[in-house]
């Protein structure tokens, strides 16, 4: 991977072959690897910067809330718009369920339009 050892960016033992997701971790100097991945992977749908995870939405929200504010500073500008999208794997959620999920992140105070 463009001078990057795959073992440096993901744990092969942690890959779940039943899941459509793959979690990788790139250090700032490895960011060019991402462009190579995007160009070469036919089935790659999106790349997401992960700020929290958990077995429940409450655990995920707590993890995001515990982040240092500096981690989100690049997004907290009035000129940037934002949205909180709710995606479920192998599950459909009603608009009410999605709104309930979003409510767990009410502490995020994005100033944009």
């Amino acid at each position: 991977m463009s001078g990057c050892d795959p073992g440096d960016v993901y744990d092969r033992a942690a890959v779940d072959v039943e899941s459509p997701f793959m979690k990788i971790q790139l250090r700032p100097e490895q960011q060019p690897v991402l462009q190579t991945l995007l160009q070469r992977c036919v089935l790659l749908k999106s790349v997401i910067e992960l700020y929290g995870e958990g077995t429940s939405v409450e655990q995920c929200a707590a993890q995001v809330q515990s982040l240092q504010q500096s981690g989100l500073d690049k997004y907290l500008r009035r000129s940037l718009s934002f949205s909180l999208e709710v995606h479920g794997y192998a599950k459909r959620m009603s608009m009410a369920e999605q709104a309930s999920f979003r409510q767990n992140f009410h502490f995020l105070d994005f100033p944009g339009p």
Side-chain angles (χ1 to χ4, degrees):
M1 272 194 320
S2 242
C4 181
D5 180 11
D8 289 343
V9 296
Y10 76 97
D11 179 7
R12 197 175 282 239
V15 174
D16 179 1
V17 296
E18 298 296 321
S19 172
F21 305 107
M22 180 175 196
K23 185 175 167 183
I24 65 171
Q25 294 181 3
L26 296 175
R27 295 183 304 274
E29 66 272 12
Q30 293 174 315
Q31 291 299 319
V33 172
L34 185 56
Q35 189 63 35
T36 302
L37 283 173
L38 291 170
Q39 291 170 350
R40 303 211 33 162
C41 293
V42 176
L43 298 176
L44 184 64
K45 185 174 180 178
S46 63
V47 175
I48 300 168
E49 190 170 356
L50 185 66
Y51 286 98
E53 61 184 326
T55 57
S56 69
V57 68
E58 292 82 11
Q59 280 184 350
C60 182
Q63 220 176 59
V64 171
Q65 193 167 19
S66 71
L67 286 175
Q68 294 294 324
Q69 190 68 27
S70 62
L72 296 173
D73 280 349
K74 62 184 172 184
Y75 302 112
L76 298 176
R77 291 183 278 162
R78 189 160 301 284
S79 61
L80 296 176
S81 63
F82 67 93
S83 69
L84 292 176
E85 296 182 15
V86 177
H87 298 277
Y89 172 63
K91 180 180 180 179
R92 293 190 67 121
M93 288 182 268
S94 69
M95 295 302 278
E97 288 174 306
Q98 291 181 39
S100 175
F101 269 59
R102 284 187 190 94
Q103 188 57 36
N104 285 283
F105 297 91
H106 68 279
F107 56 86
L108 293 173
D109 189 24
F110 292 110

